[in-house]
Structures are given as C-alpha cells and as structure tokens.
Amino acid sequence: SAECGNPFAFAFYAGDLIQGRQVEKDEALGNLWAQKALSSNDSYAIGLCNSYGLGTLRDEDEAKEFFALSAEEGNFLCLFICF
C-alpha cells in the first residue's frame, strides 16, 4: 500500500522501519516514509506520525487535533480514539 501512494500506509511502514518490526531496522528510510505521510493531506496519517513521533517530535495534543479532523472528514477509525 505504501508503494501505491497510501499516506496511511506511509506512516505504518515508517513505524515498522524505525522500530524494526518485521523488516530490517532502517531509521533513515523510515523517516523518509514518515515525511511522505506528514506532507500528505491525510489527517489520520499525520495524526499517527505525531502520536508516535515518526519523522517529527511526539506531540499527543497535535495528534488529537489531526485525529479529530480525520473523524470530521468521515474516517471511522478515529471514532475509536479516546480524546
């Protein structure tokens, strides 16, 4: 999905690379994928990056703002996030 241009997948793949989950750990490549997610217009992907500190400093307040925006945009995944 990440290679197909899905910003949500960019963020997850970035986390996998940065933490070495099921792939060889590569923080530099992980940060490149995180930057793709952060530069997208996908508020959920941006929220994930802020929540986990992927390609940016961890900022829970900023993450909550992006998750709330994503919920307003109709993303049902955000309905399960406790604010």
Side-chain angles (χ1 to χ4, degrees):
S1 268
E3 291 177 348
C4 295
N6 182 333
F8 174 73
F10 296 165
F12 271 96
Y13 189 47
D16 290 345
L17 287 164
I18 291 169
Q19 296 177 2
R21 287 188 310 246
Q22 300 180 3
V23 294
E24 186 175 334
K25 187 174 183 173
D26 188 336
E27 290 185 32
L29 185 57
N31 281 317
L32 285 174
W33 282 102
Q35 290 306 314
K36 289 182 179 193
L38 288 164
S39 65
S40 74
N41 64 351
D42 187 313
S43 52
Y44 187 68
I46 297 168
L48 285 174
C49 289
N50 280 284
S51 181
Y52 292 102
L54 303 172
T56 188
L57 294 176
R58 187 172 186 207
D59 187 335
E60 284 295 320
D61 292 331
E62 183 105 354
K64 287 177 183 179
E65 288 180 28
F66 279 104
F67 289 145
L69 176 61
S70 187
E72 289 173 13
E73 294 169 345
N75 184 343
F76 73 94
L77 294 172
C78 294
L79 299 175
F80 302 103
I81 298 172
C82 297
F83 294 101

